[in-house]
Amino acid sequence: MAVFVDAGYLFAQGSAALFGSKRSRSTLLLDEAVVLQRLIDLAREKSNAELLRVYWYDGAPGARGLTPEHVSIAHVDHVKLRLGFMNSQGQQKGVDSLIVTDLIELARNRAIDHVPRRGVADAVPWTILGVAGSFVRAPSLAG
């Protein structure tokens, strides 16, 4: 099993769920260890499969280099940090392509045995879990 996390979406929708509206990411603090463990637990509950790894997708802030959050996540066991970029409007770009590329590579190497029936473009806006051969929307991590 592999877990695919679109961090930009996680922050946007997580803040909306917790506070009633989307908040600027700079005003939020994420406990990466707790979030990662909750996602892994959910994926195991749904699939009863062994964890291959967690893919954490995010936008890199350009010339400023990696954020402290990126450095922290990059050093967690079984987590692969995959970075797109942030455009001048602060939007992450290139993450969807990275997800698709990783799905194709995992399938080609027979590390996963199923690609979702629905188009990947339909799944990308979610914090998604590659579990039991399908994608499921992750429930609120708030509680």
Side-chain angles (χ1 to χ4, degrees):
M1 146 192 69
V3 177
F4 299 83
V5 180
D6 177 339
Y9 188 79
L10 177 72
F11 275 96
Q13 296 306 312
S15 67
L18 290 170
F19 303 110
S21 63
K22 293 180 186 177
R23 301 274 176 103
S24 169
R25 190 164 168 175
S26 63
T27 67
L28 302 170
L29 181 62
L30 181 71
D31 186 334
E32 298 94 359
V34 170
V35 170
L36 287 166
Q37 192 58 57
R38 301 249 341 237
L39 289 170
I40 291 166
D41 290 348
L42 175 64
R44 283 192 175 129
E45 176 186 309
K46 298 284 185 186
S47 72
N48 293 319
E50 287 296 314
L51 177 68
L52 172 65
R53 75 180 50 92
V54 175
Y55 290 85
W56 188 276
Y57 300 91
D58 205 355
R64 294 180 294 172
L66 298 178
T67 66
E69 175 190 290
H70 291 153
V71 173
S72 174
I73 288 172
H75 288 93
V76 175
D77 289 341
H78 306 294
V79 175
K80 182 171 182 123
L81 176 64
R82 301 281 282 142
L83 296 174
F85 64 94
M86 301 295 279
N87 68 16
S88 60
Q89 288 80 37
Q91 302 164 319
Q92 72 177 27
K93 297 294 179 181
V95 168
D96 295 357
S97 297
L98 291 171
I99 293 171
V100 170
T101 300
D102 287 339
L103 282 169
I104 291 168
E105 188 67 15
L106 289 168
R108 188 179 68 77
N109 288 316
R110 300 187 189 279
I112 59 174
D113 62 4
H114 183 80
V115 175
R117 288 190 181 98
R118 75 182 82 208
V120 172
D122 293 338
V124 167
W126 302 346
T127 298
I128 55 177
L129 309 174
V131 286
S134 63
F135 285 121
V136 296
R137 183 178 296 239
S140 168
L141 299 174

